[in-house]
Amino acid sequence: QVQLVESGGGLVQAGGSLRLSCAASGRTNAMGWFRQAPGKEREFVAVISRSGGFTSYADSVKGRFTVSRDNAKNTVYLQMNSLKPEDTAFYYCATGRDGTYYSTPRLSREYDYWGQGTQVTVSS
């Protein structure tokens, strides 16, 4: 069983930055970030492979968000810059039971463990 705990969310003005963290207990594979805004479906944001050498981003955040991981600390980060009001959502990190060192899954059904989420609110 893997437990994931997100932190770092909050309220920020448009154009500002936030860094989310996701601390894991247990063995993790690729670590993904997803978000869900009120009335909308959960959507993929970013993912980093188990090795940390491969990443993938949603088009809506490419060039503004950066995902990284520190395997020694079993923690993954999401640096969010140039935030926009449309980035407002609950952000979740997730990992799966299986995967190769280079896989970067983008579908929520490929993940087995989820954190409780952290709220990010961007004001205009």
Side-chain angles (χ1 to χ4, degrees), residues 104-121:
T104 52
R106 296 167 64 101
L107 302 176
S108 59
R109 64 172 181 263
E110 298 179 271
Y111 292 84
D112 303 292
Y113 305 104
W114 295 80
Q116 83 290 349
T118 186
Q119 176 69 44
V120 171
T121 303

Side-chain angles (χ1 to χ4, degrees), residues 26-70:
R27 184 180 182 274
T28 59
N29 287 295
M31 296 289 293
W33 286 97
F34 291 78
R35 66 187 182 187
Q36 187 166 19
K40 294 188 177 181
E41 293 187 354
R42 185 177 297 182
E43 65 173 357
F44 167 78
V45 175
V47 59
I48 187 166
S49 64
R50 188 174 76 206
S51 68
F54 301 88
T55 58
S56 181
Y57 297 91
D59 288 344
S60 59
V61 306
K62 200 172 294 182
R64 300 187 297 122
F65 291 12
T66 302
V67 61
S68 61
R69 68 188 297 166
D70 183 338

Side-chain angles (χ1 to χ4, degrees), residues 1-2 25-29 50 74 95-99 113:
Q1 190 75 10
V2 177
S25 64
R27 184 180 182 274
T28 59
N29 287 295
R50 188 174 76 206
N74 218 10
T95 192
R97 296 190 190 93
D98 303 309
Y113 305 104

Side-chain angles (χ1 to χ4, degrees), residues 89-103:
F90 237 82
Y91 283 72
Y92 301 88
C93 66
T95 192
R97 296 190 190 93
D98 303 309
T100 64
Y101 75 92
Y102 56 83
S103 61

